[in-house]
Amino acid sequence: DRHKQNPKTLHCTLDPFVYLRQMPVKIIRFSPAVNASERIAETRVKTSLLAIGDSVSWFVLAGLASSSSPLHQSDDLDLVAIGPRGVVLIEVKHWDAPWIQDHPELVAAEAEKLTMKAKRLAGRVKRALSTEAKVRQVFMLTREPVGKGLPLTDRGVPLLSLRDVERMFRELPANALDESQVRRLLASLEPTSKAQVDGNIRRIDSYPGGHPKSPISGHLKLPQLA
């Protein structure tokens, strides 16, 4: 009967391990993108990571409010990419080379602010993993063309055009984090909001009627490691 599903095909469709392999880059958004630049940056990060083709999944936290202490105001983090090559904090800017050259003091101040955000995030990463794990911070510039004379860095923070993003990820060490570390880090950074990782990942989006679209899009079991 052509309407009957092959049991093997059904198993592959619903098997969460297969689903993870089919979704090597997962975007988890915590607040709506505030402008077109953020949407452009999110898309570029996803396509860049897909192009690399790492065997361990990447998770990109978008619009995350991160607090290193109850005594400190939360940092607004545009994009935090977490995967086998480590943790990358991405600040999205609609700048180009001429604007940067005309506003050196403002750019320097923004670079120092981003570095402090990265240090606070690195503290949370260290507590989650009980080991040192570098958080790399970068500016992603979404204005095109970016123009001539773009500096490589400012105050030690790389300034990346859209075409530089894939190269930046490729140059990171390939085995900085294993899958269990990625899972623990996700659970630690945001355990009570839209992403919960306790061996499972739950996406709580605006589903019609409050229900996920498929059995595995709302409740996804991660592989248990020995």
Side-chain angles (χ1 to χ4, degrees), residues 65-76 117 120:
S66 173
S67 178
S68 58
S69 166
L71 302 178
H72 295 97
Q73 185 175 355
S74 295
D75 290 322
D76 292 325
K117 287 182 181 181
R120 288 189 287 270

Side-chain angles (χ1 to χ4, degrees), residues 6 22 35 42 44 65 91 96 113 124 170 178:
N6 185 307
Q22 294 171 343
N35 52 46
E42 181 180 308
R44 180 52 60 101
E91 183 98 349
D96 59 14
K113 284 170 55 179
R124 297 191 65 187
R170 284 190 183 278
D178 62 31

Side-chain angles (χ1 to χ4, degrees), residues 8-173:
K8 292 183 179 180
T9 302
L10 180 63
H11 175 74
C12 289
T13 302
L14 299 181
D15 189 314
F17 304 99
V18 174
Y19 181 75
L20 267 181
R21 296 188 192 103
Q22 294 171 343
M23 296 290 290
V25 182
K26 193 175 184 69
I27 305 292
I28 304 175
R29 179 159 281 286
F30 294 89
S31 59
V34 299
N35 52 46
S37 287
E38 290 192 0
R39 292 189 288 272
I40 291 169
E42 181 180 308
T43 299
R44 180 52 60 101
V45 168
K46 183 173 183 177
T47 56
S48 297
L49 292 172
L50 286 171
I52 293 171
D54 286 326
S55 59
V56 174
S57 296
W58 279 87
F59 296 86
V60 181
L61 309 184
L64 176 67
S66 173
S67 178
S68 58
S69 166
L71 302 178
H72 295 97
Q73 185 175 355
S74 295
D75 290 322
D76 292 325
L77 308 181
D78 291 343
L79 298 170
V80 181
I82 303 171
R85 297 173 188 263
V87 181
V88 183
L89 172 59
I90 300 169
E91 183 98 349
V92 181
K93 297 294 186 185
H94 194 57
W95 297 344
D96 59 14
W99 191 94
I100 291 170
Q101 294 162 7
D102 290 342
H103 301 83
E105 293 183 359
L106 180 56
V107 173
E110 290 294 308
E112 291 174 359
K113 284 170 55 179
L114 181 57
T115 296
M116 292 308 299
K117 287 182 181 181
K119 287 181 177 179
R120 288 189 287 270
L121 180 60
R124 297 191 65 187
V125 171
K126 182 178 180 180
R127 289 194 295 273
L129 302 180
S130 301
T131 186
E132 294 288 346
K134 181 177 177 58
V135 173
R136 292 166 175 81
Q137 70 271 27
V138 302
F139 285 123
M140 184 189 298
L141 312 182
T142 59
R143 182 175 289 180
E144 292 189 300
V146 72
K148 296 181 179 180
L150 179 68
L152 295 177
T153 64
D154 193 292
R155 296 296 192 275
V157 180
L159 293 154
L160 306 179
S161 67
L162 293 177
R163 66 181 181 181
D164 295 328
V165 176
E166 182 181 332
R167 174 184 54 78
M168 180 272 294
F169 280 114
R170 284 190 183 278
E171 291 177 351
L172 298 178

